[in-house]
Amino acid sequence: MKKLLTTSAILASALALSACQTTPTKGDLPAEVQPVLQAQMQTVDVSQAHLGKMYLRPIQGGVQVFGELTGLNPGSTYAIHIHENGTCANKGQDAGGHFNALNKPHGHPSSMESHAGDLPNITADANGVARMNFVRKDISVDPRVANTVHNRAFIIHAGADDYTSQPAGNSGDRMACGVIEAY
Ligand SMILES: [Cu+2]
Ligand SMILES: [Zn+2]
């Protein structure tokens, strides 16, 4: 029941940004918010603990990045980015740097002067759950274009992104990773 409730909360926020859509239901989300891409987030330590999933789908004006992450430290704030390479090998190091199709500096995700992979920090609630719902205008889910995020990876860091320090916001160690693949 808890799972249903928390999924509903994501959907409510996702629906607020959605247009009508009639795609048949597939996977673990209902038809109204069918994503094109997904990433299963797992810690990069030996436990490979599942921390929830991230999703991406095109909407008017950009790509909606949304999801719910669990198993975090209550009250803690974490950086999360899209990194360049679609691998979590070598404790996430092989994912490389922040996805940066437009050769920008690292920055606040709401500014055009930021990496295409820069996203807002997430903060866990009292139950260790954090939600993301953000639209990036400069990425695509289409695997055929240069700014695609298909076959790249989300990385969650141990600390918060200061949105200023180069090249990665002084976000701390790589804590969890998920390769972005077809939904
Ligand atoms: Cu990162
Ligand atoms: Zn960055």
Side-chain angles (χ1 to χ4, degrees), residues 24 30 66 98 160 162 168 170 173-174 183:
F66 63 106
H98 295 183
D162 66 13
N170 194 27
D173 290 342
R174 298 178 188 210
Y183 179 74

Side-chain angles (χ1 to χ4, degrees), residues 83-157:
H83 285 238
E84 188 168 15
N85 306 319
T87 173
C88 294
N90 196 16
K91 297 193 170 178
Q93 293 303 319
D94 289 359
H98 295 183
F99 176 47
N100 186 18
L102 297 175
N103 197 26
K104 299 284 189 175
H106 180 72
H108 193 282
S110 63
S111 163
M112 292 308 288
E113 291 302 302
S114 63
H115 297 142
D118 291 347
L119 294 168
N121 289 327
I122 51 171
T123 298
D125 67 14
N127 297 315
V129 176
R131 294 183 182 86
M132 165 75 70
N133 186 11
F134 187 74
V135 177
R136 275 235 57 127
K137 299 184 171 81
D138 51 2
I139 59 175
S140 173
V141 298
D142 183 341
R144 297 166 299 183
V145 299
N147 65 333
T148 189
V149 294
H150 181 265
N151 200 30
R152 303 193 190 280
F154 284 100
I155 295 280
I156 302 172
H157 294 264

